[in-house]
Amino acid sequence: MGSALASDRAVYLPGTVRVAAKILVVGHFAVGKTTFVGSLSEIRPLRTEETMTQAGALVDDLRGTEDKTTTTVAMDFGRLTLSESLVLYLFGAPGQRRFTRLWRDMTHGALGALVLADTRRLEQSFPVMAVLEEHGLPYAVAVNHFQGAPRFAESEVREALDLLPETPLVTCDARDRTSSTHALIALVQHLQSRQARISQEQA
């Protein structure tokens, strides 16, 4: 899948950019992280996908993803310029638990994370959220809807994931740029509100 806005003009940042923010896109195996980053990135995204092997099939849960043939082995990287002065760098982490050490390294310098979830495998989101909470990284959750996946009320998903009341929960289609943008906006608004609250408490 190509980048959303890849062009010669989009490769270089304008000289007016003064702030760069690192955002993580995380979630369990085959939840749509590579697709999400690709749908938003204004440059051709960096990808580190490799062909899946029989060895990986023995440890990776392929439920609902039987047609998947490649997997991310390091990270996905994309860029999204929000204004003349602000740019977001999107880092997509591999979903398998054996890459947990890499997840931890990627949290350094990040402002927050968007956790993608699949209603068919919600329990697999817990290890991902645990790493973020361990490092004190705020996050929002976006349920990526797959064809044939069960749909639940927001309250049911929130309860199943044991989310705090202030943690945003939205739905998205990682293939769609507009839908993915709305999910990212929910995270950014959460980070802004959280920072404003912290500033008030410290005043």
Side-chain angles (χ1 to χ4, degrees):
M1 179 177 179
S3 59
L5 296 176
S7 70
D8 292 339
R9 290 183 302 172
V11 172
Y12 300 103
L13 285 174
T16 55
V17 170
R18 295 292 179 266
V19 179
K22 178 181 179 181
I23 298 293
L24 301 187
V25 179
V26 298
H28 57 71
F29 173 68
V31 77
K33 301 176 295 296
T34 297
T35 300
F36 184 92
V37 172
S39 72
L40 283 175
S41 183
E42 65 196 12
I43 59 173
R44 186 173 299 280
L46 169 67
R47 290 176 175 160
T48 56
E49 288 192 304
E50 294 293 340
T51 301
M52 295 178 63
T53 64
Q54 286 300 315
L58 297 175
V59 294
D60 295 330
D61 185 353
L62 300 177
R63 283 180 297 163
T65 62
E66 290 79 6
D67 295 333
K68 186 173 177 62
T69 59
T70 61
T71 186
T72 299
V73 296
M75 70 174 184
D76 298 305
F77 173 78
R79 190 189 77 199
L80 180 62
T81 303
L82 292 187
S83 69
E84 291 183 351
S85 61
L86 174 62
V87 64
L88 295 183
Y89 290 116
L90 306 176
F91 288 77
Q96 297 92 323
R97 292 192 184 186
R98 58 184 177 276
F99 293 114
T100 299
R101 181 176 296 180
L102 178 59
W103 301 350
R104 298 177 192 278
D105 291 342
M106 290 177 69
T107 62
H108 296 299
L111 291 185
L114 185 68
V115 179
L116 295 185
D118 180 349
T119 56
R120 297 168 297 183
R121 298 176 290 164
L122 286 177
E123 73 284 354
Q124 294 185 21
S125 297
F126 286 112
V128 178
M129 295 189 295
V131 171
L132 299 177
E133 291 169 359
E134 176 185 341
H135 289 270
L137 197 65
Y139 60 88
V141 176
V143 174
N144 186 19
H145 279 310
F146 292 87
Q147 184 175 0
R151 302 203 177 201
F152 302 102
E154 178 181 331
S155 58
E156 293 179 290
V157 177
R158 184 174 290 278
E159 181 179 0
L161 292 175
D162 194 25
L163 299 180
L164 294 173
E166 62 268 24
T167 301
L169 174 63
V170 297
T171 60
C172 76
D173 181 341
R175 301 166 298 179
D176 181 75
R177 178 176 174 81
T178 299
S179 179
S180 297
T181 298
H182 289 160
L184 191 61
I185 287 173
L187 170 63
V188 172
Q189 290 176 336
H190 174 55
L191 296 178
Q192 291 175 330
S193 298
R194 183 175 182 272
Q195 186 57 49
R197 184 171 63 252
I198 292 174
S199 298
Q200 289 178 350
E201 293 172 353
Q202 294 176 342

